[in-house]
Amino acid sequence: MQYAYLLILITLLSAIGYYLGRQRSSRLVKQEIRRLHSLPGHYGMYVALWCSVPAVIILGLWITLQSSAIESLVISALPPEIQSLPQEQLSLVLNDIINIAGGIIVSDAPDEFLLAAAGHYNQLKGTGFLALAALLMTVCAGGLAMGMRYIRPDMRARIKVERTMQALMLLCSAVAIVTTIGIVLSVLFESIRFFNQIPVTDFLFGLKWSPQIAIRPDQVGASGSFGIVPLLAGTLMISLIAMLVAVPTGLMSAVYMSEYASDKIRTVVKPLLEILAGIPTVVYGFFAALTVAPFIREMGGRFGIDVSSESALAAGLVMGIMIIPFISSLSDDVINAVPQELRDASLSIGATRSETVVRVVLPAALPGIVGSILLGVSRAVGETMIVVMAAGLTAKLTANPFEAVTTFTVQIVTLLIGDQEFDSPKTLAAFALGLVLFVITLCLNVIALYVVRRYREEYE
Amino acid sequence: MVRSRDDIVRTIGKPLLADDERVKISCRNVNVYYGEKRAIREVSVDIAEQEVTAFIGPSGCGKSTFLRCINRMNDTIKSCRVEGEITLDREDIYDRNVDPVLLRARIGMVFQKPNPFPKSIFENVAYGPRIHGLARNKSELDEIVITSLEKAGLFSEVKDQLDHPGTGLSGGQQQRLCIARAISVQPEVILMDEPCSALDPIATAKIEELIDELRRNFTIIIVTHSMQQAARVSQRTAFFHLGNLVEVDDTNTIFVNPEHKLTQDYITGRYG
Ligand SMILES: Nc1ncnc2c1ncn2[C@@H]1O[C@H](COP(=O)(O)OP(=O)(O)OP(=O)(O)O)[C@@H](O)[C@H]1O
Ligand SMILES: [Mg+2]
């Protein structure tokens, strides 16, 4: 990573620029800082930005453009009969050259021209790097000089620096947004490719999920079927069980901690609950698979219920435990944010503490509580590990929580594990499932926003 | 005779009422501690029935603290400890057998900052009656809400918007809503902690009128920082200073002819 050295170099030069700019600005006004428009530090930053920003931009451009430039140079130096090869073979040759240049021997005795080209490649790369280093040094020094020249006591360095910083921040948030859009679009396009092979209606309303595609056309049970209803049912059932565990427990513990617990208990219990949130889901997973599932099976056996060794109930229960801290911690915060005056008002009319909680505190905290619940639901819908380990992989359409079911996320994982062709419906189905999952979580978030807004208007 | 700062341990004036019949609340040697700190020292005073008693005194002297002893709202503060005896109708309110929840239904409170619930106007007033089961059906509840709002002088202003949120009213209307909420459970005593401090003069005048009106049915204690307000609405005035009850007397006497130098200085604005 020679580029890292260049970055360090730029940083060093900028630091020097900062120091020089600071010094020059205060010297210009003979240490009477008040005559400067901005603080000396701002002038320092100003010079440092002049020094670093152009250089970093050039470095970025270089890195993106360099390899294709070098490759075309290498190709143009190859013997003409090789250059006239068709595109695919040419790129194979190029691959060989790069491998040889990197020290990987492709075949026992590479052709003469390949070795020559590899040497050429390495040489180009070396000179390229030197040229880049020289260019960056010049740009840095030039920028530094420019920045220094612009320093005047009445130059509005602070405003300029702040503008530049704002632009940088905008750039950073743009990175996040662009990435999100990119992910959504790629999922969308792959899904469209999938829907070209499998009709959307079959996908959305089909009652059978078995994505096995034949390897040979004459294989038995060859055609895969991609109906997501069993997956949807499984996801919903497990999430429902999880929420049945997490919402009452989480809310009750939040109410207990914010309304009843003494400070001593609170300082112990709250961090303990938050540790629950820090346990990796794999650990929850084997807890579910090795402890809870056998326990449920045994209990079921005693009551004469037939429980399979992997069951939606086990996964849902453990997932619920995993979600408790999210709900309790967030709800605790919003309950604490309810003004004490409201509690005083209620108590002063002769309401008991529990009446106050039920009739005043919880309604006032409702938007936040709903928000925390929906966050919990999103976690439940997106959770994979626990389900893989405790609920199984069988896509069965059932309403019986004692049977094995499977969910979207689990199926996405199984579809993509192992060697796959990237354009078989089986692989593409993962993207379509991802899209559905994305739409579901998006809807949940929109509902959460809506609920929070609506009640906020009414309550404040 | 003007006394010095040091011997205010014994309250002067007329802290105890001559006529035993008129005593609604009596406090004897009340001390209040926040942790180790004593906020109220040896306060003994009688509060007369169907009359307005004003608590005045510089900030931090313990008026609110003492007021909150009377309906045991101090119980909700963990570090707070109350010693001494306070009786309501000659029954000790700190007795083991007294349920503070029921006590608070008999002693209502209005706070410094209007604090309506984030519910409709109707629900705000119906809250207490609902909790205490005062209405057997919807029409009785309506009746209670309407009379409470009428007594608080708010009904004519809000009669068309009973289902609107109480938090949408103006500050003065909110405070009257809080008064309506307090009287909806028919308490015997109403404690008011600076009820007008967040209000403009017009809203203040309305509330003062209201207090004068309510005096016929309720015993009222009001904490105020306004000398004029104390003089206008109260019959008796108690002056607190650094946790001590310095002087209690008829409002007239306190304002025209105070005995203690501290009282004199405070009401003439020379305190400090
Ligand atoms: N919750 C509390 N915890 C600890 N100390 C308190 C608490 N509330 C009040 N105090 C202390 O008790 C003393 C009396 O306070 P209090 O609120 O009764 O004064 P006040 O006369 O009502 O003042 P103000 O006119 O400013 O409302 C103050 O010194 C205050 O610091
Ligand atoms: Mg106060």
Side-chain angles (χ1 to χ4, degrees):
Chain A
M1 266 308 7
Q2 315 125 306
Y3 295 126
Y5 296 122
L6 291 181
L7 267 182
I8 293 173
L9 193 71
I10 294 175
T11 316
L12 273 178
L13 283 173
S14 307
I16 294 173
Y18 175 82
Y19 180 74
L20 288 179
R22 229 175 67 162
Q23 230 182 17
R24 181 175 153 85
S25 62
S26 51
R27 200 173 291 151
L28 268 181
V29 290
K30 306 200 176 59
Q31 315 299 339
E32 277 185 66
I33 306 294
R34 302 186 60 196
R35 280 179 46 217
L36 283 173
H37 172 272
S38 315
L39 291 173
H42 290 126
Y43 291 95
M45 270 313 279
Y46 179 76
V47 177
L49 284 174
W50 261 108
C51 186
S52 58
V53 172
V56 169
I57 292 175
I58 288 178
L59 181 62
L61 283 179
W62 186 282
I63 292 176
T64 43
L65 299 180
Q66 179 205 37
S67 66
S68 60
I70 290 186
E71 277 164 20
S72 63
L73 278 178
V74 169
I75 288 173
S76 64
L78 286 176
E81 70 273 14
I82 305 255
Q83 275 191 57
S84 59
L85 283 174
Q87 191 59 47
E88 298 98 63
Q89 292 193 23
L90 195 60
S91 71
L92 281 180
V93 170
L94 194 63
N95 246 335
D96 283 352
I97 295 174
I98 293 175
N99 280 337
I100 295 170
I104 304 166
I105 303 302
V106 204
S107 53
D108 306 329
D111 288 333
E112 198 61 25
F113 78 90
L114 278 182
L115 286 176
H120 187 205
Y121 180 86
N122 272 340
Q123 182 199 350
L124 277 178
K125 248 184 128 172
T127 25
F129 183 74
L130 284 183
L132 175 64
L135 179 64
L136 287 184
M137 291 287 277
T138 332
V139 170
C140 276
L144 201 150
M146 292 277 274
M148 292 296 274
R149 264 193 49 205
Y150 283 135
I151 291 182
R152 305 248 181 293
D154 59 347
M155 203 267 295
R156 293 136 64 96
R158 174 169 45 83
I159 294 171
K160 286 182 181 166
V161 168
E162 272 168 13
R163 286 235 180 92
T164 319
M165 285 302 176
Q166 256 180 36
L168 283 180
M169 288 181 223
L170 186 72
L171 201 72
C172 290
S173 44
V175 168
I177 294 170
V178 168
T179 321
T180 315
I181 293 177
I183 292 176
V184 172
L185 283 184
S186 87
V187 169
L188 194 65
F189 284 132
E190 299 296 329
S191 307
I192 289 173
R193 276 177 65 194
F194 172 73
F195 291 131
N196 282 338
Q197 303 179 26
I198 310 284
V200 182
T201 45
D202 285 7
F203 179 70
L204 289 180
F205 306 114
L207 298 182
K208 186 159 183 291
W209 175 265
S210 84
Q212 298 315 319
I213 295 283
I215 298 170
R216 297 186 317 274
D218 57 329
Q219 210 175 12
V220 189
S223 69
S225 53
F226 296 91
I228 61 165
V229 173
L231 303 189
L232 187 66
T235 308
L236 288 185
M237 178 151 74
I238 291 184
S239 305
L240 186 74
I241 296 172
M243 294 325 277
L244 284 180
V245 174
V247 171
T249 328
L251 263 186
M252 296 278 201
S253 64
V255 167
Y256 172 73
M257 278 195 300
S258 53
E259 300 292 319
Y260 294 95
S262 67
D263 283 349
K264 249 190 227 155
I265 295 181
R266 202 180 141 82
T267 45
V268 177
V269 173
K270 201 169 154 110
L272 275 182
L273 260 178
E274 272 157 16
I275 287 177
L276 270 187
I279 298 177
T281 52
V282 191
V283 178
Y284 279 112
F286 64 68
F287 173 59
L290 300 182
T291 314
V292 179
F295 176 74
I296 292 176
R297 200 173 142 82
E298 196 179 307
M299 292 310 280
R302 260 182 227 173
F303 291 99
I305 306 169
D306 189 22
V307 184
S308 60
S309 61
E310 293 175 321
S311 66
L313 191 61
L317 287 180
V318 174
M319 198 190 280
I321 293 171
M322 179 198 84
I323 294 170
I324 288 173
F326 290 92
I327 292 185
S328 74
S329 174
L330 272 178
S331 304
D332 182 36
D333 289 346
V334 289
I335 289 174
N336 268 327
V338 172
Q340 182 61 32
E341 286 107 65
L342 293 184
R343 295 189 183 92
D344 285 350
S346 172
L347 292 175
S348 76
I349 307 174
T352 61
R353 268 216 261 183
S354 57
E355 282 165 341
T356 304
V357 168
V358 173
R359 291 170 180 247
V360 175
V361 177
L362 287 184
L366 191 66
I369 292 175
V370 170
S372 75
I373 292 176
L374 285 171
L375 186 78
V377 176
S378 317
R379 294 273 321 187
V381 170
E383 175 54 40
T384 318
M385 221 54 212
I386 297 175
V387 187
V388 172
M389 296 170 83
L393 302 171
T394 357
K396 210 183 286 175
L397 184 54
T398 172
N400 180 357
F402 298 116
E403 283 191 61
V405 296
T406 189
T407 64
F408 287 119
T409 47
V410 172
Q411 284 309 311
I412 293 178
V413 173
T414 47
L415 287 175
L416 293 181
I417 284 177
D419 287 337
Q420 304 287 347
E421 289 171 74
F422 257 94
D423 48 3
S424 78
K426 194 179 160 190
T427 321
L428 290 175
F431 288 95
L433 287 182
L435 188 67
V436 173
L437 200 57
F438 175 72
V439 170
I440 291 178
T441 14
L442 189 71
C443 288
L444 284 177
N445 281 331
V446 171
I447 294 173
L449 271 183
Y450 172 78
V451 170
V452 169
R453 273 225 194 102
R454 205 194 113 101
Y455 282 93
R456 182 138 310 144
E457 271 167 16
E458 216 170 279
Y459 276 112
E460 267 166 34
Chain B
M1 223 318 276
V2 167
R3 302 190 188 193
S4 76
R5 235 169 224 265
D6 303 323
D7 56 356
I8 47 179
V9 180
R10 272 199 68 84
T11 306
I12 58 174
K14 286 184 244 153
L16 307 187
L17 295 169
D19 179 3
D20 234 18
E21 289 296 295
R22 289 183 58 224
V23 176
K24 181 74 183 169
I25 298 167
S26 89
C27 310
R28 293 293 179 271
N29 306 92
V30 174
N31 286 288
V32 183
Y33 300 84
Y34 288 113
E36 288 298 297
K37 195 179 139 210
R38 185 147 75 148
I40 289 290
R41 299 161 177 273
E42 293 291 322
V43 168
S44 299
V45 65
D46 284 340
I47 306 292
E49 204 166 15
Q50 294 186 4
E51 172 172 291
V52 180
T53 306
F55 287 177
I56 60 171
S59 190
C61 66
K63 307 177 295 288
S64 303
T65 302
F66 188 60
L67 196 70
R68 291 163 60 94
C69 291
I70 297 173
N71 65 347
R72 293 188 59 174
M73 278 301 276
N74 280 336
D75 291 14
T76 62
I77 300 173
K78 282 180 192 119
S79 66
C80 188
R81 191 159 52 85
V82 179
E83 279 176 4
E85 188 189 53
I86 300 179
T87 63
L88 174 69
D89 289 338
R90 287 164 213 51
E91 284 165 36
D92 187 356
I93 64 167
Y94 280 90
D95 191 273
R96 267 161 191 266
N97 301 322
V98 171
D99 182 356
V101 170
L102 296 180
L103 176 77
R104 290 186 201 126
R106 291 174 66 192
I107 306 183
M109 187 162 197
V110 177
F111 296 82
Q112 175 168 3
K113 218 176 112 209
N115 55 356
F117 296 129
K119 301 174 187 292
S120 71
I121 294 173
F122 183 90
E123 285 302 321
N124 260 286
V125 184
Y127 184 81
R130 280 225 169 98
I131 281 178
H132 297 293
L134 299 185
R136 262 165 300 164
N137 50 40
K138 175 83 173 101
S139 65
E140 274 187 30
L141 188 64
D142 285 349
E143 167 116 24
I144 293 177
V145 169
I146 290 170
T147 29
S148 305
L149 283 170
E150 270 167 353
K151 275 194 207 151
L154 188 63
F155 186 65
S156 57
E157 286 164 61
V158 300
K159 62 171 179 288
D160 300 325
Q161 37 173 332
L162 288 180
D163 54 342
H164 289 212
T167 39
L169 296 173
S170 77
Q173 288 174 324
Q174 285 188 16
Q175 197 60 299
R176 277 179 284 153
L177 179 62
C178 293
I179 294 176
R181 184 176 65 189
I183 61 187
S184 65
V185 291
Q186 292 154 356
E188 299 154 39
V189 181
I190 302 176
L191 310 175
M192 298 183 166
D193 193 351
E194 303 180 41
C196 301
S197 62
L199 306 182
D200 72 25
I202 295 171
T204 303
K206 277 206 176 133
I207 302 237
E208 286 178 5
E209 250 172 61
L210 177 61
I211 292 172
D212 212 44
E213 192 68 20
L214 293 174
R215 169 160 72 90
R216 292 195 218 145
N217 301 315
F218 304 96
T219 301
I220 295 174
I221 305 178
I222 178 172
V223 172
T224 176
H225 276 154
S226 152
M227 300 305 121
Q228 291 87 340
Q229 186 170 62
R232 280 194 301 260
V233 300
S234 71
Q235 282 71 53
R236 269 157 58 83
T237 298
F239 172 65
F240 287 81
H241 182 262
L242 293 179
N244 298 297
L245 180 52
V246 178
E247 185 166 356
V248 185
D249 218 320
D250 297 336
T251 299
N252 244 332
T253 318
I254 290 277
F255 280 94
V256 178
N257 192 11
E259 209 175 321
H260 203 289
K261 180 159 182 344
L262 283 171
T263 321
Q264 241 173 42
D265 288 354
Y266 185 72
I267 59 171
T268 52
R270 262 182 293 146
Y271 176 81

